[in-house]
Amino acid sequence: VVWIVQAGSLEPPGPPAPTMIPLDVVEARTPIGNSGFSITAPGSYYLVEDLTAAGASGLSIDVDDVTLDLNGFAIVGAATPNVSGLTITNASNVTVRNGTIRSFEHGVDIDTSSNVSLVGLDVLANTANGIESFDSNVVIDGCTVEDNGVDGISVTSDFFNLTDVLIADCAVARNGNDGITAAATLLEIRGNRVHGNGARGIEVSMTSAKVIGNRVDLNDGTGIYTAIASGVVTDNLCFSNGLGGTGYGIEVVLAEAGQFLARNQAAGNTSGEFLFDEAASAAPITTLDATAGPWDNLIPSP
């Protein structure tokens, strides 16, 4: 038996058809090109240019399910009182990323909202707080918060009922008061560089707080100050704080046995390296030239 096979033409019948769904179908995006814009419908938005808001607010988000990409552009104010660069109010599931907010009273103001993420923002030279939030379920990730008049990042509530806050991998420098101040349960402050602020570097209250792996230096007050009943303060580096006259590397008050302090390093702080409440579960304090245990808090030798 002989089989004869004939191949078809090598010429394609036509250009290949698209196999991917266009971006505007996957996520239709709305451009924003003017300040004072209020986002009142769910969706994805992006800036197409720098926005200058002379005497007025920058942008506001007042609805759930919004993504705002500043697209590398800036929202710039004129330091007008009672005006914020970005306000997020009565909203849930909001993400804002990738741009600059500067020269307002408050850079970013989050109020009566939840599940809010700020990612990769530069919040600079605002006359009051750089980022302020009064709400739970907030993520501040990879932001630069510098040269603001009061606190760099403030996450607090008059009712002390906030929960689930993450502040991670931010640069927080040269703000007029505290670098980071937070009062929340299930709070995590991780991997930040907190430098040269006018009061404390990091101030934490409430319970179940984690302060892990931050570098805190050259602040006018104590580097890390905690008043928490439980949680962990580990793997932080606190150098040369207390430039305003007094300040420890790490100061712990109102502690209970549920708070664990270990593997921190502190040196060159004005009032001393560590001041731990006796109720805290702190690992020993030793120097690097001694035989340090794996969990010891360390004072590097000069």
Side-chain angles (χ1 to χ4, degrees):
V1 177
V2 178
W3 296 93
I4 299 174
V5 179
Q6 185 174 356
S9 172
L10 296 178
E11 293 295 324
T19 59
M20 299 181 65
I21 300 174
L23 183 60
D24 60 354
V25 175
V26 175
E27 182 186 39
R29 303 207 306 167
T30 301
I32 299 174
N34 60 290
S35 63
F37 188 87
S38 295
I39 296 175
T40 57
S44 181
Y45 298 80
Y46 67 102
L47 293 193
V48 297
E49 60 184 355
D50 289 342
L51 304 183
T52 300
S57 59
L59 298 178
S60 64
I61 299 172
D62 307 302
V63 67
D64 298 347
D65 302 316
V66 168
T67 298
L68 171 60
D69 186 354
L70 301 187
N71 205 24
F73 292 110
I75 305 173
V76 183
T80 305
N82 303 314
V83 168
S84 297
L86 173 67
T87 59
I88 302 170
T89 308
N90 297 319
S92 180
N93 301 323
V94 173
T95 298
V96 182
R97 61 175 181 256
N98 187 30
T100 299
I101 301 170
R102 60 182 171 88
S103 301
F104 291 88
E105 180 178 50
H106 299 287
V108 181
D109 191 349
I110 305 169
D111 195 7
T112 323
S113 299
S114 64
N115 295 321
V116 174
S117 295
L118 307 177
V119 183
L121 298 179
D122 295 338
V123 184
L124 313 173
N126 300 283
T127 58
N129 295 332
I131 297 172
E132 65 174 12
S133 172
F134 303 97
D135 298 305
S136 300
N137 303 106
V138 171
V139 173
I140 303 170
D141 183 17
C143 295
T144 298
V145 186
E146 297 180 345
D147 300 307
N148 299 285
V150 187
D151 296 328
I153 299 173
S154 175
V155 183
T156 61
S157 167
D158 291 340
F159 302 103
F160 299 103
N161 59 354
L162 302 188
T163 187
D164 289 302
V165 173
L166 172 64
I167 303 170
D169 300 318
C170 294
V172 185
R174 300 182 305 278
N175 299 287
N177 197 53
D178 293 339
I180 298 172
T181 181
T185 58
L186 299 179
L187 163 71
E188 185 169 346
I189 300 176
R190 170 173 46 81
N192 303 282
R193 172 72 189 277
V194 185
H195 169 84
N197 297 284
R200 292 165 175 159
I202 297 174
E203 179 176 343
V204 174
S205 58
M206 296 296 287
T207 60
S208 302
K210 298 178 180 179
V211 185
I212 302 173
N214 302 281
R215 181 183 176 97
V216 187
D217 58 9
L218 297 171
N219 299 285
D220 280 5
T222 287
I224 297 174
Y225 177 93
T226 73
I228 56 178
S230 64
V232 296
V233 180
T234 61
D235 299 291
N236 300 284
L237 305 177
C238 299
F239 300 136
S240 302
N241 297 288
L243 298 183
T246 60
Y248 293 86
I250 300 177
E251 182 178 358
V252 176
V253 303
L254 303 177
E256 295 179 10
Q259 183 175 11
F260 183 55
L261 303 111
R263 292 194 313 218
N264 300 288
Q265 293 189 40
N269 301 284
T270 300
S271 299
E273 315 312 344
F274 300 103
L275 183 62
F276 292 161
D277 189 302
E278 63 182 13
S281 297
I285 298 170
T286 188
T287 59
L288 279 178
D289 57 1
T291 303
W295 291 96
D296 284 7
N297 297 287
L298 299 176
I299 302 174
S301 302

